[in-house]
């Protein structure tokens, strides 16, 4: 928010606001691992249908600036990360940091990959 002595306080235009959204911050397998009973994975499974604080999907980052958007990495969990956003979004650009499977769409995401790339 800014304050101008003539017009008073006002909020920035959301279309002009730069945002960085972490869609996934987990490692190549995500957390929890279905085969693991360590304390972190156990907590991440949650209680009573509520996920734990350690639940993490695989890496993806969304940058929005000047009415455009760019996706950095697009692993297998990208669809779920984008679906959690408040509205529909097709990124204007996709950047892949390196060619490991956890940074590239695969499996049933072929159609999405074609649309994004």
């Amino acid at each position: 928010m800014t304050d101008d002595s003539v017009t008073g306080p006002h909020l920035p235009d959301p279309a002009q606001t730069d945002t960085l959204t972490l869609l996934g911050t987990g490692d190549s397998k995500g957390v929890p691992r279905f085969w693991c009973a360590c304390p972190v994975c156990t907590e991440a499974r949650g209680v009573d249908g509520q996920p734990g604080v350690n639940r993490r999907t695989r890496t993806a980052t969304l940058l929005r600036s000047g009415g455009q958007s760019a996706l950095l990495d697009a692993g297998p969990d990208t669809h779920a990360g984008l679906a959690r956003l408040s509205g529909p979004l097709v990124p204007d650009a996709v950047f892949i940091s390196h060619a490991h499977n956890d940074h590239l769409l695969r499996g049933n995401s072929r159609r999405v990959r074609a649309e994004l790339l």
Side-chain angles (χ1 to χ4, degrees):
M1 181 159 50
T2 60
D3 192 354
D4 184 317
S5 61
V6 176
T7 61
H10 61 278
L11 296 172
D13 177 357
Q16 299 302 316
T17 302
D18 297 339
T19 62
L20 183 70
T21 305
L22 302 175
L23 300 173
T25 60
D27 63 4
S28 64
K29 294 173 183 62
V31 177
R33 289 164 169 75
F34 66 88
W35 66 86
C36 185
C38 78
V40 172
C41 287
T42 299
E43 188 284 326
R45 287 187 183 90
V47 177
D48 297 327
Q50 297 299 315
V53 296
N54 285 308
R55 183 168 292 213
R56 295 186 306 275
T57 57
R58 289 166 280 194
T59 303
T61 303
L62 179 66
L63 172 63
R64 296 186 209 186
S65 180
Q68 294 187 315
S69 62
L71 186 64
L72 172 60
D73 291 328
D77 300 323
T78 301
H79 176 270
L82 292 172
R84 286 191 303 265
L85 298 175
S86 61
L89 175 93
V90 176
D92 297 297
V94 178
F95 300 96
I96 305 300
S97 63
H98 60 284
H100 286 168
N101 284 340
D102 60 316
H103 294 262
L104 298 167
L105 290 171
R106 62 182 188 168
N108 293 332
S109 301
R110 288 187 185 128
R111 179 172 166 246
V112 175
R113 180 190 305 177
E115 290 173 3
L116 290 176
L117 301 176

